[in-house]
Amino acid sequence: MAVLPAIIGALIVLLVGWIVGRLLGKAVRIIIDKVTATAISTPVIGESDVGKSVIKSNVSLGHVGDILVRVIVYLIAILAAVDILNMDYLSAFMTRVIEYIPHVVAFLIILVVGIILIDYFIDLFKNYSKTADIELLRPVLLLLRVFLYFVVIMLALSQLLLDLTIIYTIITPIFWGIGIGLGASIAIVVWFGMKNRSEQIMDKVMEVISK
């Protein structure tokens, strides 16, 4: 009888959390679907590899957002219910889980946005190289894409509070070599591929960007 009020209160909190989670999830799903439809219609996102994958896939970003919001609300409701029941260990554990959620969100945002921007600009220069016929540009763009992917992935992983010391120790010398080779490759492309054509190339690049 002493713990019965706490149990009833915890059940009420869980029920309210379930209702609120469903309502907020549905609202977020509608908003994300509208934003996604608008974003995919823009060239920066719609013409990137990630944008094309989203269009071809049957997975709705709104559905993913719906699930994510529901999980967050449910976890908060569980934390409140555990606090009502005075379960200190579970309360501390749920607090750590909820505090970690923003890091996961930051990881996903940096990863997705970074890949979209890299794909857009690399594809922009790749399409231009087809019309301008610049020598040796494609291997340079491939190296640049791999290098930028690595930078974005490492920035995203750092948001998860992971110890990346071992990865940095192994990968840093490799990417120092890639960076030096990339710089030399760019210099070679500029000298051999773009020699005596700088004004024409810049005019075309500005024309593509303005479109």
Side-chain angles (χ1 to χ4, degrees), residues 92-105:
F93 173 75
M94 294 302 301
T95 301
R96 289 194 296 269
V97 171
I98 293 174
E99 289 176 350
Y100 194 71
I101 290 176
H103 297 285
V104 177
V105 174

Side-chain angles (χ1 to χ4, degrees), residues 27 40 152 164 181:
I40 289 178
V152 169
L164 304 176

Side-chain angles (χ1 to χ4, degrees), residues 43-204:
V44 177
I45 299 177
E47 295 180 2
S48 65
D49 292 338
V50 175
K52 293 176 181 177
S53 299
V54 171
I55 294 173
K56 293 179 181 179
S57 66
N58 295 323
V59 178
S60 170
L61 293 180
H63 182 66
V64 176
D66 183 2
I67 295 176
L68 182 61
V69 170
R70 290 192 190 192
V71 169
I72 294 174
V73 175
Y74 294 163
L75 288 176
I76 294 174
I78 293 173
L79 174 61
V82 169
D83 285 337
I84 293 175
L85 296 174
N86 293 322
M87 302 173 69
D88 295 335
Y89 176 77
L90 287 179
S91 178
F93 173 75
M94 294 302 301
T95 301
R96 289 194 296 269
V97 171
I98 293 174
E99 289 176 350
Y100 194 71
I101 290 176
H103 297 285
V104 177
V105 174
F107 164 79
L108 294 175
I109 292 175
I110 292 175
L111 189 65
V112 173
V113 174
I115 291 176
I116 287 175
L117 292 178
I118 291 171
D119 286 342
Y120 174 74
F121 285 107
I122 295 297
D123 290 340
L124 179 67
F125 285 106
K126 184 184 294 184
N127 294 332
Y128 175 73
S129 67
K130 294 178 182 178
T131 58
D133 193 22
I134 301 176
E135 299 178 2
L136 305 176
L137 184 59
R138 288 191 177 182
V140 173
L141 290 179
L142 178 60
L143 287 175
L144 183 60
R145 187 193 293 266
V146 173
F147 179 76
L148 293 177
Y149 277 167
F150 170 77
V151 173
V152 169
I153 291 173
M154 296 305 294
L155 287 175
L157 288 176
S158 66
Q159 299 300 315
L160 297 179
L161 305 179
L162 301 176
D163 187 5
L164 304 176
T165 305
I166 297 177
I167 297 177
Y168 282 128
T169 303
I170 297 174
I171 299 297
T172 299
I174 297 175
F175 275 88
W176 265 111
I178 293 177
I180 295 173
L182 186 60
S185 301
I186 292 174
I188 294 172
V189 169
V190 170
W191 176 254
F192 290 101
M194 303 172 68
K195 183 171 58 176
N196 299 325
R197 301 172 57 193
S198 59
E199 294 183 1
Q200 178 186 359
I201 291 172
M202 288 305 300
D203 290 339
K204 290 185 178 180

